[in-house]
Amino acid sequence: MKVLVARIPTEGSRLTGTQSRDILQLEEHRYIERGEDISYDFFVQRVSNELIVRGEFSVTLSIQCSRCAEFFSTSLRVSDFLRAYSAPDGTDEVVIDEDLREEFVLQLPSFPLCEQSCAGKCVRCGVNLNEASCRCKQEEGPNPWSALDALDI
């Protein structure tokens, strides 16, 4: 996304719209299937030799659940985007793609869940426990961790 510095009045300007999701480079993340374009609302202002960009942006995408491995739709919103870019006299434009991508990656959940109550998959047969119950037999036998129960600490 390019901000045209020369078109910004001294009191600043509001930039709203959509930007292609391609700048997020989603193809690098195998657990993100697809995404929509980015919606943004920024206020840009030139102060001395800097361009100040602040505002918010959001994107809706399909991300893989960490428990059941199914894809679900979610929205990521960054409401506190604030960056200062060097913009000495004569600067025509400033590209903010890399900072948008960085904020996006920081907002990705480290353990995304389709819902809090997601039961995941059976570790033996692989059935999605949200959709069906598994028919695996529970092994009855000595639990190797039961010795810890006997410890008197």
Side-chain angles (χ1 to χ4, degrees):
M1 176 177 190
K2 296 178 183 178
V3 178
L4 301 175
V5 179
R7 294 187 183 173
I8 299 172
T10 55
E11 66 274 1
S13 178
R14 174 169 240 108
L15 302 176
T16 59
T18 59
Q19 177 69 31
S20 171
R21 68 178 180 265
D22 295 340
I23 65 170
L24 298 178
Q25 300 171 0
L26 296 178
E27 61 277 357
E28 291 182 8
H29 302 281
R30 70 174 197 263
Y31 54 90
I32 299 176
E33 198 169 66
R34 64 182 185 279
E36 295 180 3
D37 287 345
I38 301 166
S39 298
Y40 62 87
D41 182 11
F42 293 131
F43 181 76
V44 293
Q45 187 173 20
R46 192 162 184 181
V47 178
S48 298
N49 288 333
E50 290 186 325
L51 177 69
I52 308 298
V53 180
R54 69 176 185 249
E56 61 184 41
F57 69 93
S58 63
V59 62
T60 301
L61 49 92
S62 185
I63 193 167
Q64 190 175 28
C65 178
S66 297
R67 290 185 187 158
C68 67
E70 297 292 326
F71 282 88
F72 65 98
S73 181
T74 188
S75 182
L76 293 178
R77 182 171 180 238
V78 176
S79 60
D80 58 353
F81 185 81
L82 175 63
R83 294 289 191 281
Y85 300 93
S86 177
D89 290 337
T91 302
D92 294 331
E93 63 187 24
V94 173
V95 179
I96 65 171
D97 293 358
E98 195 59 36
D99 288 326
L100 289 176
R101 182 178 187 283
E102 180 181 304
E103 266 314 311
F104 167 77
V105 170
L106 290 172
Q107 293 296 321
L108 284 173
S110 57
F111 195 74
L113 297 175
C114 57
E115 51 187 72
Q116 284 298 105
S117 62
C118 178
K121 289 191 173 199
C122 174
V123 294
R124 290 187 183 94
C125 66
V127 70
N128 186 338
L129 297 173
N130 296 314
E131 298 170 357
S133 59
C134 85
R135 298 180 185 173
C136 296
K137 291 183 180 177
Q138 297 294 330
E139 292 181 15
E140 296 294 329
N143 182 348
W145 298 101
S146 61
L148 294 175
D149 293 333
L151 288 176
D152 186 22
I153 299 178

